[in-house]
Amino acid sequence: MNGILVALVGALLCFYGIRSVHLGLLAIGFGLGWLIADLFNASFWWLLLAALIGAVSVWVVTSLVFRFAAYFIGGLTGVMIGTKLATVLQPGDKNVALSMIVALAVGVSGAFLAQKFRARALLWLTSIGGASMVCSGVARFSDSLSFLRDPEPGWQQVTATLAWVGLSVVGWITQRHLFAEQLGIQHLAGDDDEPDMSDRNGGWPTR
């Protein structure tokens, strides 16, 4: 049950994240809370509580500062990606301090990318962040898949990384084709005219 829940939320963010600002925010907050709590090997109920608190907190805070929403959304998604990256790069026992440094560094990078490139950066960030959640969720389906969440050095680490990267690319391709009009990609949207800016980005901030 716990793996299915986080995998579904991750799939929502990975394949549908750019479409709706509200769904995206809730999924980002949920994933961020879950992945951070998971660093401390928390029980399922603590993971769920942290995820729900993260979802509500991100949605409320970003709604209050919508003018800077792209910056915050990019930063928070970057932190989520950095948390997963720290897990993959540190097989076995985790150095929490190093994990937080990696998460913060990727978060800052994500914030500036989202601020500069808007929907194009958010497309990548939601795909990568959602894929990290899917991998963490699928890892809880059975013990044989647990390496997707906490790989050991060697083939497990390589396989977990390739699965994450591959799913991220699939999510990016899917969103890019499904929401080409919102992203302003005319040749994929099948429209030679400039798309209506009011419909672009699915409600994500444009300035």
Side-chain angles (χ1 to χ4, degrees), residues 115-203:
Q115 185 71 12
K116 182 175 179 60
F117 298 107
R118 303 293 176 170
R120 299 300 179 92
L122 291 170
L123 172 62
W124 272 110
L125 290 169
T126 54
S127 299
I128 298 171
S132 70
M133 291 177 62
V134 173
C135 290
S136 295
V138 171
R140 294 176 176 272
F141 287 0
S142 69
D143 291 339
S144 62
L145 296 172
S146 61
F147 69 90
L148 291 173
R149 169 178 170 263
D150 191 13
E152 294 295 331
W155 73 267
Q156 290 189 355
Q157 194 174 18
V158 173
T159 304
T161 302
L162 290 176
W164 183 21
V165 172
L167 188 57
S168 300
V169 172
V170 172
W172 179 84
I173 293 172
T174 302
Q175 290 199 72
R176 190 169 183 267
H177 280 78
L178 285 178
F179 311 122
E181 184 176 352
Q182 288 86 349
L183 291 165
I185 307 173
Q186 290 97 319
H187 70 281
L188 290 179
D191 185 2
D192 294 331
D193 298 328
E194 180 69 18
D196 184 354
M197 285 298 294
S198 64
D199 293 331
R200 189 179 291 186
N201 298 344

